[in-house]
């Protein structure tokens, strides 16, 4: 009897489909310049999560977005940033105080992880014309070696 149960278990495990790949929902990044808080501390590293339908719908009811549609990206980015340096409560006021280059970086990062599912960008070396991929989440800042 034990052999039958063991054989059935082994057969079931062998026939079961492979474990599905886990969906990556959070992506680390490093800002080109960094957010400077009230005490002068610079926060460059952070984490952005995938957006939900709710994340994209709720800002449309925000009065600031209704008055100025450009404010949509500020509210949306604030909703999906789970951490910026040591700041865990990222709100629109924090995003408003980012340098323009950092906001542009986060907007592109948002688009990449939500539309494309990764943080890689295809680039071409201007010197040798070689094509390769660069991970924009990277550990170093652009322009640094």
């Amino acid at each position: 009897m034990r052999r039958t149960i063991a054989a059935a278990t082994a057969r079931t495990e062998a026939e079961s489909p492979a474990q599905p790949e886990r969906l990556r929902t959070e992506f680390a990044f490093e800002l080109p310049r960094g957010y400077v808080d009230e005490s002068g501390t610079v926060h460059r590293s952070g984490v952005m999560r995938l957006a939900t339908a709710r994340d994209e719908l709720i800002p449309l009811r925000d009065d600031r977005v209704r008055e100025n549609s450009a404010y949509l990206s500020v509210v949306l980015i604030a909703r999906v940033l789970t951490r910026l340096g040591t700041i865990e409560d990222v709100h629109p006021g924090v995003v408003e105080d980012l340098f323009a280059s950092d906001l542009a970086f986060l907007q592109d990062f948002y688009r990449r992880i939500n539309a494309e599912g990764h943080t890689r960008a295809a680039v071409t070396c201007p010197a040798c014309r070689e094509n390769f991929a660069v991970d924009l989440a990277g550990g170093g800042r652009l322009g640094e070696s």
Side-chain angles (χ1 to χ4, degrees):
M1 181 72 160
R2 286 185 187 204
R3 187 179 309 177
T4 306
I5 293 172
T9 302
R11 186 174 58 246
T12 303
E13 289 173 0
E15 293 171 359
S16 67
Q19 291 292 326
E21 185 177 326
R22 290 182 52 124
L23 177 64
R24 184 174 175 195
T25 60
E26 291 191 332
F27 297 81
F29 62 84
E30 188 152 335
L31 294 175
R33 298 217 189 299
Y35 169 71
V36 182
D37 67 18
E38 294 173 354
S39 68
T41 303
V42 179
H43 304 270
R44 285 194 179 96
S45 62
V47 176
M48 182 182 288
R49 66 173 173 77
L50 287 177
T52 64
R54 177 173 296 180
D55 291 322
E56 295 201 348
L57 292 172
I58 286 179
L60 299 175
R61 295 186 292 201
D62 190 302
D63 289 335
R64 298 167 294 190
V65 173
R66 287 181 179 173
E67 291 174 18
N68 180 359
S69 61
Y71 201 74
L72 174 63
S73 67
V74 170
V75 176
L76 187 54
I77 295 295
R79 289 186 61 84
V80 297
L81 287 181
T82 59
R83 185 180 55 77
L84 183 57
T86 58
I87 302 167
E88 293 185 6
D89 178 26
V90 182
H91 51 81
V94 171
V95 178
E96 287 175 354
D97 288 339
L98 289 171
F99 293 108
S101 58
D102 288 334
L103 178 58
F105 171 87
L106 290 173
Q107 289 168 328
D108 183 58
F109 196 74
Y110 175 92
R111 182 188 58 77
R112 286 182 184 282
I113 67 171
N114 285 286
E116 300 171 14
H118 60 80
T119 59
R120 293 178 308 278
V123 295
T124 302
C125 174
C128 69
R129 311 303 297 165
E130 183 73 28
N131 295 320
F132 57 97
V134 173
D135 190 346
L136 295 178
R141 293 183 299 155
L142 297 176
E144 293 183 351
S145 48

